[in-house]
Amino acid sequence: MRLLARNGMIDRWFERGTCSFAVLVLALLGAIMLSLLISAWPALATYGVDFFTQTRWSANQEVFGAWPAIYGTLVTSLIAVAIAVPVSFGIAIFLTEKCPAALRRPLGVTIELLAGIPSIIYGMWGIMVLGPFLQWLAPELFPAGTGLATAGIILAVMIIPFITAITRDVMSTVPSVTRESAYGLGCTTWEVVRSVIFPSVRGGLVGGVILGLGRALGETMAVAFVIGNNLFLNPTLTGQGTSIAALIASQFPEADGIQRSALLALGLVLFLITFVVLAIARYMLMRIERRAP
């Protein structure tokens, strides 16, 4: 009886401890959002809706428009996802379906090591190698070598390891007997992947893509190196621009007063964009789970 009572007490304390950890995370999330809102309120109260629609950012004239940074953040992230998703899926399919056994592990480890490279190294590679190469390849589109498209390519290279690792892991969870049955019916590798494997793990695929998108939205140093840091709206894919994270990183150390508040308001915008993206991803996963047989 004493042992049962002791085990019951330990179980209750374990349950309360894990619950407190979950509540702590929610409290931290709320505290971060509240502190950002309080710090950003002077700028939001001063500029109102114009803060989100103004197309220029000039600290000297105290003109702060978030739209160029928002546009740059969204465009570079979408370019990165558009490039990274098919490449990552292709690598994962090769590793799980077609790669020789002797090469499967070395290639997988090599791809995962790319995720450990510091972002500043990617930025230095982009400004020293990728930028000049794009400038030589298409001088009309990349007159300076830097810009939104260059930043998008760098972000794609950075998020490919994350999406590839998750895609490979979820594809590996499909039972071998399922694959063998499909191949036994005469299906090709593409038919097996498209009609058997992907439908079985579509929730994990969406999760991997959203994880990569979240990384792209918040990347700072690599983007700051190659995006051009143009504080005026340039509504093209190859022109120079800026992003929320890059703008905050470049101006926050010397900022004060209304400029600091405006930068914190940008941080709040990035926080909300990331939250909305994750909420949409969760909604998509819920719909996928409901439709699953």
Side-chain angles (χ1 to χ4, degrees), residues 81 85 163 166 203-217 274 276-282 284-285:
V81 171
V85 168
I163 302 177
I166 295 176
L205 299 180
V206 174
V209 173
I210 296 303
L211 178 63
L213 178 58
R215 170 72 189 275
L217 286 170
T274 306
V276 169
V277 168
L278 294 178
I280 294 174
R282 183 58 187 170
M284 292 175 61
L285 290 175

PDB file of all heavy atoms in Angstrom, residues 81 85 163 166 203-217 274 276-282 284-285:
ATOM      1  N   VAL A  81      11.371  29.040 -50.335  1.00  0.00           N
ATOM      2  CA  VAL A  81      10.527  27.844 -50.263  1.00  0.00           C
ATOM      3  C   VAL A  81      10.295  27.270 -51.656  1.00  0.00           C
ATOM      4  O   VAL A  81      10.319  26.043 -51.849  1.00  0.00           O
ATOM      5  CB  VAL A  81       9.192  28.183 -49.570  1.00  0.00           C
ATOM      6  CG1 VAL A  81       8.218  27.023 -49.687  1.00  0.00           C
ATOM      7  CG2 VAL A  81       9.433  28.515 -48.102  1.00  0.00           C
ATOM      8  N   VAL A  85      11.787  23.445 -51.649  1.00  0.00           N
ATOM      9  CA  VAL A  85      10.853  22.326 -51.513  1.00  0.00           C
ATOM     10  C   VAL A  85      11.092  21.250 -52.572  1.00  0.00           C
ATOM     11  O   VAL A  85      11.280  20.076 -52.231  1.00  0.00           O
ATOM     12  CB  VAL A  85       9.401  22.826 -51.522  1.00  0.00           C
ATOM     13  CG1 VAL A  85       8.425  21.661 -51.671  1.00  0.00           C
ATOM     14  CG2 VAL A  85       9.100  23.581 -50.224  1.00  0.00           C
ATOM     15  N   ILE A 163      14.349  20.761 -44.380  1.00  0.00           N
ATOM     16  CA  ILE A 163      13.224  20.124 -45.059  1.00  0.00           C
ATOM     17  C   ILE A 163      13.605  18.716 -45.508  1.00  0.00           C
ATOM     18  O   ILE A 163      12.805  17.781 -45.410  1.00  0.00           O
ATOM     19  CB  ILE A 163      12.765  20.980 -46.255  1.00  0.00           C
ATOM     20  CG1 ILE A 163      12.368  22.386 -45.791  1.00  0.00           C
ATOM     21  CG2 ILE A 163      11.596  20.325 -46.974  1.00  0.00           C
ATOM     22  CD1 ILE A 163      11.960  23.313 -46.916  1.00  0.00           C
ATOM     23  N   ILE A 166      13.619  16.211 -42.439  1.00  0.00           N
ATOM     24  CA  ILE A 166      12.279  15.842 -41.980  1.00  0.00           C
ATOM     25  C   ILE A 166      11.578  14.979 -43.017  1.00  0.00           C
ATOM     26  O   ILE A 166      10.934  13.968 -42.679  1.00  0.00           O
ATOM     27  CB  ILE A 166      11.463  17.111 -41.672  1.00  0.00           C
ATOM     28  CG1 ILE A 166      12.092  17.857 -40.500  1.00  0.00           C
ATOM     29  CG2 ILE A 166      10.008  16.759 -41.367  1.00  0.00           C
ATOM     30  CD1 ILE A 166      11.423  19.164 -40.178  1.00  0.00           C
ATOM     31  N   GLY A 203       1.177  14.856 -43.678  1.00  0.00           N
ATOM     32  CA  GLY A 203       1.239  15.741 -42.521  1.00  0.00           C
ATOM     33  C   GLY A 203       2.668  16.102 -42.165  1.00  0.00           C
ATOM     34  O   GLY A 203       2.981  17.265 -41.878  1.00  0.00           O
ATOM     35  N   GLY A 204       3.558  15.128 -42.180  1.00  0.00           N
ATOM     36  CA  GLY A 204       4.966  15.396 -41.902  1.00  0.00           C
ATOM     37  C   GLY A 204       5.613  16.255 -42.974  1.00  0.00           C
ATOM     38  O   GLY A 204       6.485  17.084 -42.671  1.00  0.00           O
ATOM     39  N   LEU A 205       5.205  16.080 -44.229  1.00  0.00           N
ATOM     40  CA  LEU A 205       5.753  16.894 -45.309  1.00  0.00           C
ATOM     41  C   LEU A 205       5.390  18.356 -45.116  1.00  0.00           C
ATOM     42  O   LEU A 205       6.237  19.246 -45.271  1.00  0.00           O
ATOM     43  CB  LEU A 205       5.236  16.395 -46.658  1.00  0.00           C
ATOM     44  CG  LEU A 205       5.594  14.959 -47.057  1.00  0.00           C
ATOM     45  CD1 LEU A 205       4.998  14.621 -48.416  1.00  0.00           C
ATOM     46  CD2 LEU A 205       7.101  14.769 -47.079  1.00  0.00           C
ATOM     47  N   VAL A 206       4.132  18.605 -44.794  1.00  0.00           N
ATOM     48  CA  VAL A 206       3.702  19.988 -44.549  1.00  0.00           C
ATOM     49  C   VAL A 206       4.458  20.576 -43.366  1.00  0.00           C
ATOM     50  O   VAL A 206       4.901  21.731 -43.385  1.00  0.00           O
ATOM     51  CB  VAL A 206       2.182  20.044 -44.318  1.00  0.00           C
ATOM     52  CG1 VAL A 206       1.750  21.453 -43.918  1.00  0.00           C
ATOM     53  CG2 VAL A 206       1.435  19.607 -45.566  1.00  0.00           C
ATOM     54  N   GLY A 207       4.635  19.789 -42.314  1.00  0.00           N
ATOM     55  CA  GLY A 207       5.366  20.270 -41.156  1.00  0.00           C
ATOM     56  C   GLY A 207       6.798  20.639 -41.480  1.00  0.00           C
ATOM     57  O   GLY A 207       7.321  21.649 -40.994  1.00  0.00           O
ATOM     58  N   GLY A 208       7.464  19.838 -42.316  1.00  0.00           N
ATOM     59  CA  GLY A 208       8.829  20.146 -42.707  1.00  0.00           C
ATOM     60  C   GLY A 208       8.925  21.429 -43.513  1.00  0.00           C
ATOM     61  O   GLY A 208       9.837  22.238 -43.308  1.00  0.00           O
ATOM     62  N   VAL A 209       7.980  21.621 -44.424  1.00  0.00           N
ATOM     63  CA  VAL A 209       7.980  22.848 -45.232  1.00  0.00           C
ATOM     64  C   VAL A 209       7.756  24.070 -44.353  1.00  0.00           C
ATOM     65  O   VAL A 209       8.422  25.107 -44.511  1.00  0.00           O
ATOM     66  CB  VAL A 209       6.913  22.756 -46.340  1.00  0.00           C
ATOM     67  CG1 VAL A 209       6.775  24.091 -47.068  1.00  0.00           C
ATOM     68  CG2 VAL A 209       7.267  21.649 -47.326  1.00  0.00           C
ATOM     69  N   ILE A 210       6.833  23.974 -43.415  1.00  0.00           N
ATOM     70  CA  ILE A 210       6.550  25.107 -42.543  1.00  0.00           C
ATOM     71  C   ILE A 210       7.736  25.397 -41.632  1.00  0.00           C
ATOM     72  O   ILE A 210       8.044  26.564 -41.348  1.00  0.00           O
ATOM     73  CB  ILE A 210       5.280  24.837 -41.714  1.00  0.00           C
ATOM     74  CG1 ILE A 210       4.064  24.709 -42.651  1.00  0.00           C
ATOM     75  CG2 ILE A 210       5.035  25.946 -40.721  1.00  0.00           C
ATOM     76  CD1 ILE A 210       3.838  25.925 -43.534  1.00  0.00           C
ATOM     77  N   LEU A 211       8.427  24.366 -41.180  1.00  0.00           N
ATOM     78  CA  LEU A 211       9.628  24.589 -40.380  1.00  0.00           C
ATOM     79  C   LEU A 211      10.683  25.348 -41.186  1.00  0.00           C
ATOM     80  O   LEU A 211      11.311  26.294 -40.683  1.00  0.00           O
ATOM     81  CB  LEU A 211      10.198  23.255 -39.903  1.00  0.00           C
ATOM     82  CG  LEU A 211      11.500  23.335 -39.095  1.00  0.00           C
ATOM     83  CD1 LEU A 211      11.270  24.099 -37.801  1.00  0.00           C
ATOM     84  CD2 LEU A 211      12.033  21.938 -38.797  1.00  0.00           C
ATOM     85  N   GLY A 212      10.873  24.960 -42.435  1.00  0.00           N
ATOM     86  CA  GLY A 212      11.812  25.679 -43.283  1.00  0.00           C
ATOM     87  C   GLY A 212      11.372  27.104 -43.536  1.00  0.00           C
ATOM     88  O   GLY A 212      12.202  28.035 -43.523  1.00  0.00           O
ATOM     89  N   LEU A 213      10.078  27.322 -43.747  1.00  0.00           N
ATOM     90  CA  LEU A 213       9.571  28.677 -43.960  1.00  0.00           C
ATOM     91  C   LEU A 213       9.775  29.534 -42.721  1.00  0.00           C
ATOM     92  O   LEU A 213      10.148  30.707 -42.820  1.00  0.00           O
ATOM     93  CB  LEU A 213       8.084  28.619 -44.328  1.00  0.00           C
ATOM     94  CG  LEU A 213       7.380  29.970 -44.535  1.00  0.00           C
ATOM     95  CD1 LEU A 213       8.060  30.773 -45.629  1.00  0.00           C
ATOM     96  CD2 LEU A 213       5.910  29.753 -44.880  1.00  0.00           C
ATOM     97  N   GLY A 214       9.553  28.959 -41.547  1.00  0.00           N
ATOM     98  CA  GLY A 214       9.780  29.716 -40.320  1.00  0.00           C
ATOM     99  C   GLY A 214      11.235  30.117 -40.172  1.00  0.00           C
ATOM    100  O   GLY A 214      11.536  31.231 -39.712  1.00  0.00           O
ATOM    101  N   ARG A 215      12.154  29.222 -40.542  1.00  0.00           N
ATOM    102  CA  ARG A 215      13.580  29.570 -40.502  1.00  0.00           C
ATOM    103  C   ARG A 215      13.890  30.691 -41.485  1.00  0.00           C
ATOM    104  O   ARG A 215      14.652  31.619 -41.177  1.00  0.00           O
ATOM    105  CB  ARG A 215      14.412  28.329 -40.825  1.00  0.00           C
ATOM    106  CG  ARG A 215      15.897  28.602 -41.042  1.00  0.00           C
ATOM    107  CD  ARG A 215      16.598  28.933 -39.741  1.00  0.00           C
ATOM    108  NE  ARG A 215      17.963  29.400 -39.942  1.00  0.00           N
ATOM    109  CZ  ARG A 215      19.022  28.597 -40.076  1.00  0.00           C
ATOM    110  NH1 ARG A 215      18.863  27.285 -40.035  1.00  0.00           N
ATOM    111  NH2 ARG A 215      20.231  29.103 -40.229  1.00  0.00           N
ATOM    112  N   ALA A 216      13.297  30.642 -42.663  1.00  0.00           N
ATOM    113  CA  ALA A 216      13.571  31.669 -43.671  1.00  0.00           C
ATOM    114  C   ALA A 216      13.030  33.033 -43.241  1.00  0.00           C
ATOM    115  O   ALA A 216      13.663  34.064 -43.486  1.00  0.00           O
ATOM    116  CB  ALA A 216      12.958  31.252 -45.011  1.00  0.00           C
ATOM    117  N   LEU A 217      11.875  33.050 -42.604  1.00  0.00           N
ATOM    118  CA  LEU A 217      11.275  34.324 -42.196  1.00  0.00           C
ATOM    119  C   LEU A 217      12.143  35.070 -41.187  1.00  0.00           C
ATOM    120  O   LEU A 217      12.211  36.304 -41.210  1.00  0.00           O
ATOM    121  CB  LEU A 217       9.885  34.080 -41.598  1.00  0.00           C
ATOM    122  CG  LEU A 217       8.769  33.721 -42.569  1.00  0.00           C
ATOM    123  CD1 LEU A 217       7.526  33.280 -41.813  1.00  0.00           C
ATOM    124  CD2 LEU A 217       8.428  34.915 -43.468  1.00  0.00           C
ATOM    125  N   THR A 274       5.072  35.213 -38.247  1.00  0.00           N
ATOM    126  CA  THR A 274       5.468  33.847 -37.918  1.00  0.00           C
ATOM    127  C   THR A 274       4.336  33.098 -37.238  1.00  0.00           C
ATOM    128  O   THR A 274       4.071  31.922 -37.528  1.00  0.00           O
ATOM    129  CB  THR A 274       6.704  33.862 -37.018  1.00  0.00           C
ATOM    130  OG1 THR A 274       7.738  34.629 -37.643  1.00  0.00           O
ATOM    131  CG2 THR A 274       7.213  32.456 -36.776  1.00  0.00           C
ATOM    132  N   VAL A 276       1.107  33.655 -37.557  1.00  0.00           N
ATOM    133  CA  VAL A 276       0.060  33.366 -38.539  1.00  0.00           C
ATOM    134  C   VAL A 276       0.461  32.186 -39.421  1.00  0.00           C
ATOM    135  O   VAL A 276      -0.351  31.300 -39.719  1.00  0.00           O
ATOM    136  CB  VAL A 276      -0.225  34.620 -39.392  1.00  0.00           C
ATOM    137  CG1 VAL A 276      -1.111  34.270 -40.589  1.00  0.00           C
ATOM    138  CG2 VAL A 276      -0.895  35.696 -38.548  1.00  0.00           C
ATOM    139  N   VAL A 277       1.740  32.154 -39.837  1.00  0.00           N
ATOM    140  CA  VAL A 277       2.218  31.043 -40.669  1.00  0.00           C
ATOM    141  C   VAL A 277       2.072  29.718 -39.925  1.00  0.00           C
ATOM    142  O   VAL A 277       1.596  28.711 -40.482  1.00  0.00           O
ATOM    143  CB  VAL A 277       3.680  31.283 -41.083  1.00  0.00           C
ATOM    144  CG1 VAL A 277       4.283  30.021 -41.699  1.00  0.00           C
ATOM    145  CG2 VAL A 277       3.761  32.425 -42.075  1.00  0.00           C
ATOM    146  N   LEU A 278       2.473  29.690 -38.666  1.00  0.00           N
ATOM    147  CA  LEU A 278       2.368  28.459 -37.885  1.00  0.00           C
ATOM    148  C   LEU A 278       0.911  28.078 -37.647  1.00  0.00           C
ATOM    149  O   LEU A 278       0.554  26.888 -37.649  1.00  0.00           O
ATOM    150  CB  LEU A 278       3.091  28.628 -36.546  1.00  0.00           C
ATOM    151  CG  LEU A 278       4.615  28.806 -36.648  1.00  0.00           C
ATOM    152  CD1 LEU A 278       5.212  29.012 -35.269  1.00  0.00           C
ATOM    153  CD2 LEU A 278       5.255  27.625 -37.339  1.00  0.00           C
ATOM    154  N   ALA A 279       0.038  29.067 -37.451  1.00  0.00           N
ATOM    155  CA  ALA A 279      -1.380  28.776 -37.262  1.00  0.00           C
ATOM    156  C   ALA A 279      -1.984  28.174 -38.528  1.00  0.00           C
ATOM    157  O   ALA A 279      -2.776  27.222 -38.471  1.00  0.00           O
ATOM    158  CB  ALA A 279      -2.127  30.051 -36.863  1.00  0.00           C
ATOM    159  N   ILE A 280      -1.611  28.736 -39.682  1.00  0.00           N
ATOM    160  CA  ILE A 280      -2.092  28.180 -40.948  1.00  0.00           C
ATOM    161  C   ILE A 280      -1.595  26.753 -41.138  1.00  0.00           C
ATOM    162  O   ILE A 280      -2.336  25.866 -41.588  1.00  0.00           O
ATOM    163  CB  ILE A 280      -1.649  29.073 -42.124  1.00  0.00           C
ATOM    164  CG1 ILE A 280      -2.347  30.432 -42.044  1.00  0.00           C
ATOM    165  CG2 ILE A 280      -1.947  28.403 -43.462  1.00  0.00           C
ATOM    166  CD1 ILE A 280      -1.857  31.431 -43.090  1.00  0.00           C
ATOM    167  N   ALA A 281      -0.329  26.518 -40.778  1.00  0.00           N
ATOM    168  CA  ALA A 281       0.219  25.167 -40.892  1.00  0.00           C
ATOM    169  C   ALA A 281      -0.538  24.197 -39.999  1.00  0.00           C
ATOM    170  O   ALA A 281      -0.842  23.064 -40.405  1.00  0.00           O
ATOM    171  CB  ALA A 281       1.700  25.180 -40.522  1.00  0.00           C
ATOM    172  N   ARG A 282      -0.836  24.625 -38.788  1.00  0.00           N
ATOM    173  CA  ARG A 282      -1.578  23.751 -37.879  1.00  0.00           C
ATOM    174  C   ARG A 282      -2.975  23.456 -38.417  1.00  0.00           C
ATOM    175  O   ARG A 282      -3.468  22.322 -38.328  1.00  0.00           O
ATOM    176  CB  ARG A 282      -1.677  24.418 -36.504  1.00  0.00           C
ATOM    177  CG  ARG A 282      -2.367  23.568 -35.454  1.00  0.00           C
ATOM    178  CD  ARG A 282      -1.650  22.252 -35.272  1.00  0.00           C
ATOM    179  NE  ARG A 282      -2.375  21.354 -34.382  1.00  0.00           N
ATOM    180  CZ  ARG A 282      -2.092  20.092 -34.201  1.00  0.00           C
ATOM    181  NH1 ARG A 282      -1.090  19.534 -34.870  1.00  0.00           N
ATOM    182  NH2 ARG A 282      -2.786  19.350 -33.369  1.00  0.00           N
ATOM    183  N   MET A 284      -3.840  23.411 -41.585  1.00  0.00           N
ATOM    184  CA  MET A 284      -3.694  22.486 -42.705  1.00  0.00           C
ATOM    185  C   MET A 284      -3.479  21.059 -42.214  1.00  0.00           C
ATOM    186  O   MET A 284      -4.040  20.106 -42.768  1.00  0.00           O
ATOM    187  CB  MET A 284      -2.526  22.929 -43.587  1.00  0.00           C
ATOM    188  CG  MET A 284      -2.759  24.231 -44.319  1.00  0.00           C
ATOM    189  SD  MET A 284      -1.294  24.789 -45.235  1.00  0.00           S
ATOM    190  CE  MET A 284      -1.064  23.435 -46.371  1.00  0.00           C
ATOM    191  N   LEU A 285      -2.673  20.895 -41.166  1.00  0.00           N
ATOM    192  CA  LEU A 285      -2.438  19.561 -40.625  1.00  0.00           C
ATOM    193  C   LEU A 285      -3.719  18.967 -40.052  1.00  0.00           C
ATOM    194  O   LEU A 285      -3.979  17.762 -40.203  1.00  0.00           O
ATOM    195  CB  LEU A 285      -1.362  19.619 -39.546  1.00  0.00           C
ATOM    196  CG  LEU A 285       0.066  19.900 -40.029  1.00  0.00           C
ATOM    197  CD1 LEU A 285       1.009  20.043 -38.857  1.00  0.00           C
ATOM    198  CD2 LEU A 285       0.543  18.802 -40.967  1.00  0.00           C
TER     199      LEU A 285
END
